[in-house]
Amino acid sequence: MSFTFATDNAIPVHPVSALDYIPREKLREIQLHRLQNIVRYAYERQRLFRRRCDELGVRPEHIKTLKDIRLLPFSKKVDLRDEYPTGLQAAPNEEVVRYQCSSGTTGKPIVIPNTMNDIKVWQQGVMRCLAMGGVSANDIVQVAYGYGLFTGGLGLHYGAEGIGCAVLPISGGNTDRQIMLMRDLGVTTICCTPSYFLHIIDEGHKKGIDFRKEMKLKHGFFGAEPWTEEMRSKIEEYTGLVAHDIYGLTEIAGPGVGGDCEHRTGLHIFEDHFYPEIIDPETLEPLPDGEYGELVFTTLDRTGCPMIRYRTRDLTRINPEPCPCGRTIRTIQRINARSDDMIIVHGVNLFPSQVESGLLSIPEVMPHYQIVVTPTGALDMLEIKVEITPENFSDDMRHLEDLRKRIGAAVKSITGLTATITLCEPHTLPRSEGKIRRVVDLRVQK
Ligand code: ADP
Ligand code: ZN
């Protein structure tokens, strides 16, 4: 396979990455051309989009510059639910090759029709992420994301195959088998949710496996749920691999909408396909680069179900500074907050990732925790259950009390909240084979 070189920094680039370095002016030209096409296409084929445009008095020909995207109506997950199952499908049935689903808000899943073109766009996104992380055709890739309606498994599968890797399509679950094949095949690259990888490590440790010595892991591609820099350090420390972040959502493609490079400045977004904006979630006004708000995407060339100005509910900012890697596609700050995950305790907005950052800043703490909110009359109780390392789980009450205090202080310094800290023995808190549920909010359970 031939390699090209980016003009200004001479880093070898996998052919699939060429577009990562496209001059911004050229990128904007491509984006505008694609935006005009997709708006026309969606206006003709998506009733809901046309109705909303008509209500606002906007027509496809009004899109003359990229800024004109602001004239267009937003879309939301609830639209996909209301139009369940295929009311937003824009391509005829004979062009649709696959349905992928993600969880809806009220039981029914949302259904995203994909054409062959969409599958290719999606595959390219994952390939660009893997190539950015340094994966090549020599790698053996264990895909332990769930296969099926969830986009994680098939997304990474097609991406890794596209690079020419040897793929082990093991899907989630059966952790003993995961560990056995990882070792016996000399797997170099693991792809799964960060919480599932922690579970794999944990089960391995129980069997006395030293991941650094007995495995050949070089890369991990973790995503589908928020995970902090502190979690990244733990994973790297336990296994010696380089932990890459991969981001995406079913409505916009699946994993591979963006990912991080070796500089870890954030997630490079494949802007030639997925046009990002940040808005103020209250006023819906677009915010300038650098300001924090809700991430909105327009799919510039998906034909099965184009999403125009889709509100992701993910909170982040577009980094104004270019990344030192030389890529011209911009980065967003890693996603550590999804508006849906926010809970309000004692009148304060709390995200699980804030708790995670606080907890993992204490060396005796293991990356397994759960946040429990219990209604107790006037003031709700915030309890954080956290596992501590076996050496620290002793009968020495003074030591435990001191540890509890330090953990409480670390959490308070980040969240501003006083929590009851419960120290748990290793391997006692729930693990997950997919996305983990970190919060148990007993106030909203019936
Ligand atoms: P569901 O909405 O059912 O969880 P998806 O599997 O499509 O469906 O999940 C997409 C969401 O997962 C994103 O909107 C984001 O909140 C979260 N997510 C995906 N990748 C990452 C990542 N790398 N970091 C943080 N959150 C992520
Ligand atoms: Zn970069």
Side-chain angles (χ1 to χ4, degrees):
M1 191 173 279
S2 71
F3 282 78
T4 55
F5 287 84
T7 45
D8 50 351
N9 58 5
I11 294 173
V13 176
H14 188 281
V16 78
S17 304
L19 278 164
D20 296 1
Y21 298 89
I22 190 172
R24 280 208 69 82
E25 209 169 300
K26 181 82 195 141
L27 174 64
R28 275 193 288 267
E29 250 173 58
I30 295 175
Q31 286 175 322
L32 178 60
H33 178 69
R34 289 186 174 167
L35 178 67
Q36 289 171 326
N37 280 344
I38 204 69
V39 169
R40 208 174 309 122
Y41 177 90
Y43 188 82
E44 280 162 15
R45 295 162 183 249
Q46 283 178 321
R47 234 181 357 203
L48 182 69
F49 179 63
R50 183 169 56 239
R51 202 185 68 221
R52 285 188 179 154
C53 283
D54 290 347
E55 280 164 11
L56 292 171
V58 193
R59 295 189 50 85
E61 54 273 23
H62 294 162
I63 306 300
K64 297 207 169 64
T65 68
L66 280 174
K67 275 218 164 111
D68 293 334
I69 197 170
R70 298 174 178 190
L71 303 171
L72 298 168
F74 290 104
S75 51
K76 285 171 81 168
K77 193 164 200 162
V78 66
D79 300 334
L80 286 154
R81 197 191 70 207
D82 292 349
E83 297 286 322
Y84 175 86
T86 53
L88 293 184
Q89 180 175 320
N93 278 342
E94 66 265 29
E95 284 178 25
V96 171
V97 297
R98 193 181 325 148
Y99 294 114
Q100 297 281 171
C101 296
S102 102
S103 60
T105 32
T106 60
K108 273 188 188 163
I110 57 148
V111 179
I112 302 290
N114 283 265
T115 61
M116 191 51 94
N117 164 71
D118 300 340
I119 301 287
K120 286 195 178 137
V121 169
W122 177 19
Q123 181 190 29
Q124 293 270 317
V126 181
M127 286 171 67
R128 285 162 82 172
C129 278
L130 295 172
M132 190 152 58
V135 169
S136 74
N138 293 324
D139 281 296
I140 302 174
V141 181
Q142 179 162 350
V143 180
Y145 284 108
Y147 277 63
L149 296 178
F150 171 56
T151 49
L154 286 164
L156 266 302
H157 182 102
Y158 275 57
E161 253 183 25
I163 296 280
C165 308
V167 180
L168 178 66
I170 191 165
S171 192
N174 203 336
T175 307
D176 285 349
R177 194 175 56 182
Q178 303 265 3
I179 295 171
M180 181 177 74
L181 287 169
M182 185 183 284
R183 184 169 53 188
D184 296 348
L185 282 172
V187 165
T188 62
T189 305
I190 175 78
C191 307
C192 59
T193 59
S195 52
Y196 186 43
F197 191 52
L198 286 174
H199 181 40
I200 293 177
I201 296 171
D202 197 43
E203 290 296 305
H205 284 172
K206 271 201 232 164
K207 294 186 188 354
I209 289 175
D210 180 338
F211 281 76
R212 284 174 164 273
K213 291 210 182 101
E214 294 172 57
M215 303 288 181
K216 296 219 163 58
L217 291 171
K218 288 190 299 186
H219 303 283
F221 287 84
F222 305 114
E225 64 187 7
W227 54 301
T228 57
E229 285 300 328
E230 290 81 1
M231 184 71 91
R232 169 136 69 185
S233 305
K234 289 267 177 195
I235 288 176
E236 293 185 336
E237 179 195 316
Y238 290 150
T239 59
L241 57 65
V242 179
H244 309 274
D245 194 359
I246 181 166
Y247 168 77
L249 57 165
T250 313
E251 299 90 312
I252 300 303
V257 171
D260 59 7
C261 72
E262 71 278 16
H263 292 276
R264 299 187 171 177
T265 49
L267 303 160
H268 280 286
I269 297 295
F270 303 116
E271 294 182 84
D272 42 323
H273 298 292
F274 315 113
Y275 187 86
E277 295 175 87
I278 301 288
I279 61 162
D280 178 325
E282 303 291 323
T283 65
L284 307 187
E285 281 304 312
L287 295 173
D289 286 5
E291 281 190 35
Y292 195 72
E294 181 177 348
L295 180 61
V296 169
F297 276 116
T298 296
T299 56
L300 292 176
D301 56 357
R302 277 169 60 87
T303 49
C305 184
M307 299 304 303
I308 311 285
R309 302 196 87 195
Y310 182 71
R311 295 182 55 182
T312 63
R313 306 169 313 283
D314 292 329
L315 303 173
T316 181
R317 64 202 270 270
I318 295 178
N319 294 322
E321 314 80 24
C323 182
C325 71
R327 285 182 175 77
T328 51
I329 50 173
R330 288 177 298 174
T331 54
I332 58 171
Q333 189 185 302
R334 294 181 68 207
I335 311 287
N336 50 31
R338 177 170 169 164
S339 51
D340 305 16
D341 291 341
M342 190 184 82
I343 47 171
I344 300 181
V345 186
H346 306 170
V348 173
N349 296 350
L350 178 70
F351 290 99
S353 56
Q354 294 174 301
V355 172
E356 184 174 301
S357 287
L359 293 176
L360 299 189
S361 66
I362 308 283
E364 294 92 333
V365 162
M366 308 271 282
H368 300 282
Y369 65 94
Q370 191 175 49
I371 303 165
V372 186
V373 190
T374 317
T376 51
L379 215 53
D380 300 328
M381 182 169 100
L382 172 66
E383 181 189 10
I384 297 170
K385 298 181 178 174
V386 59
E387 290 181 15
I388 56 172
T389 53
E391 315 78 88
N392 281 284
F393 208 87
S394 67
D395 293 334
D396 181 347
M397 292 315 280
R398 281 243 306 279
H399 172 69
L400 290 181
E401 194 44 41
D402 167 63
L403 184 53
R404 208 194 322 268
K405 276 196 187 131
R406 277 193 291 131
I407 296 172
V411 169
K412 183 156 190 177
S413 75
I414 293 186
T415 63
L417 288 166
T418 304
T420 305
I421 307 292
T422 306
L423 304 181
C424 304
E425 258 183 90
H427 318 297
T428 52
L429 289 174
R431 307 298 201 248
S432 163
E433 291 174 353
K435 302 193 190 208
I436 199 164
R437 192 164 154 236
R438 293 283 184 200
V439 181
V440 180
D441 192 343
L442 297 170
R443 298 171 303 183
V444 294
Q445 282 185 352
K446 296 187 186 93

